[in-house]
Amino acid sequence: MEIGSIIRELRRKAGFTQAMLAEKIGVTTSAVGFWELNRRQPDIDSITKMAEIFNVSTDYIINNQNRNVVSILCRDGSQIKLFLNDEQIETIKEFAEKIINETKCNK
C-alpha cells in the first residue's frame, strides 16, 4: 500500500476530513490531498505529527508495517518503547483484561 492510501485510511478511521487533518498538522488542505493522491510526499515532521495523531509508528506510515508503539514506564522512571504487531497488542490486551477481571473478583 502506498503512503497516500495509508494516510487516507488512517484519516478516515479517525473520522477526520482532509481539512481537519491539515489543521492538526499545520499544513494546507491541498497538501493532504496531494499526499493522499501520491502526488507529493509529506516531510518527516508531518509524518511524525500524523503518527502521534493516529497513534501509530512513523514506520507504519512510511513502510506500511503494521506496528504499534507501546511505552513501558519502569520503576526507575526510565521508559522503554516497543514496536509491536497487532497480534502482540491483542495478546497484551487479553492479558490486561485477565488481570483486571481477577483484581475485580478479589475485592
Side-chain angles (χ1 to χ4, degrees):
M1 189 181 305
E2 293 186 65
I3 192 168
S5 299
I6 295 166
I7 294 169
R8 184 183 318 107
E9 180 181 301
L10 290 169
R11 177 182 61 77
R12 287 180 175 168
K13 281 184 181 178
F16 295 161
T17 63
Q18 288 182 344
M20 291 165 68
L21 178 58
E23 184 178 335
K24 289 180 178 294
I25 297 172
V27 298
T28 64
T29 303
S30 61
V32 174
F34 282 131
W35 297 341
E36 290 185 2
L37 293 172
N38 292 302
R39 291 188 181 165
R40 294 202 181 129
Q41 298 292 312
D43 61 23
I44 193 66
D45 186 50
S46 297
I47 291 171
T48 302
K49 288 177 183 176
M50 284 187 280
E52 291 173 8
I53 291 166
F54 299 129
N55 197 30
V56 297
S57 68
T58 54
D59 190 48
Y60 177 79
I61 295 172
I62 296 168
N63 298 317
N64 192 24
Q65 302 254 336
N66 196 7
R67 296 181 153 199
N68 304 284
V69 180
V70 174
S71 295
I72 300 173
L73 183 60
C74 301
R75 288 183 184 179
D76 65 0
S78 63
Q79 188 176 14
I80 300 169
K81 287 194 177 196
L82 303 173
F83 294 93
L84 305 175
N85 63 34
D86 285 342
E87 184 179 316
Q88 293 166 322
I89 291 291
E90 205 52 45
T91 300
I92 291 171
K93 284 181 183 177
E94 290 170 6
F95 180 69
E97 287 173 7
K98 182 178 179 184
I99 291 172
I100 290 167
N101 288 334
E102 287 176 0
T103 304
K104 287 179 183 176
C105 293
N106 293 330
K107 286 186 177 182

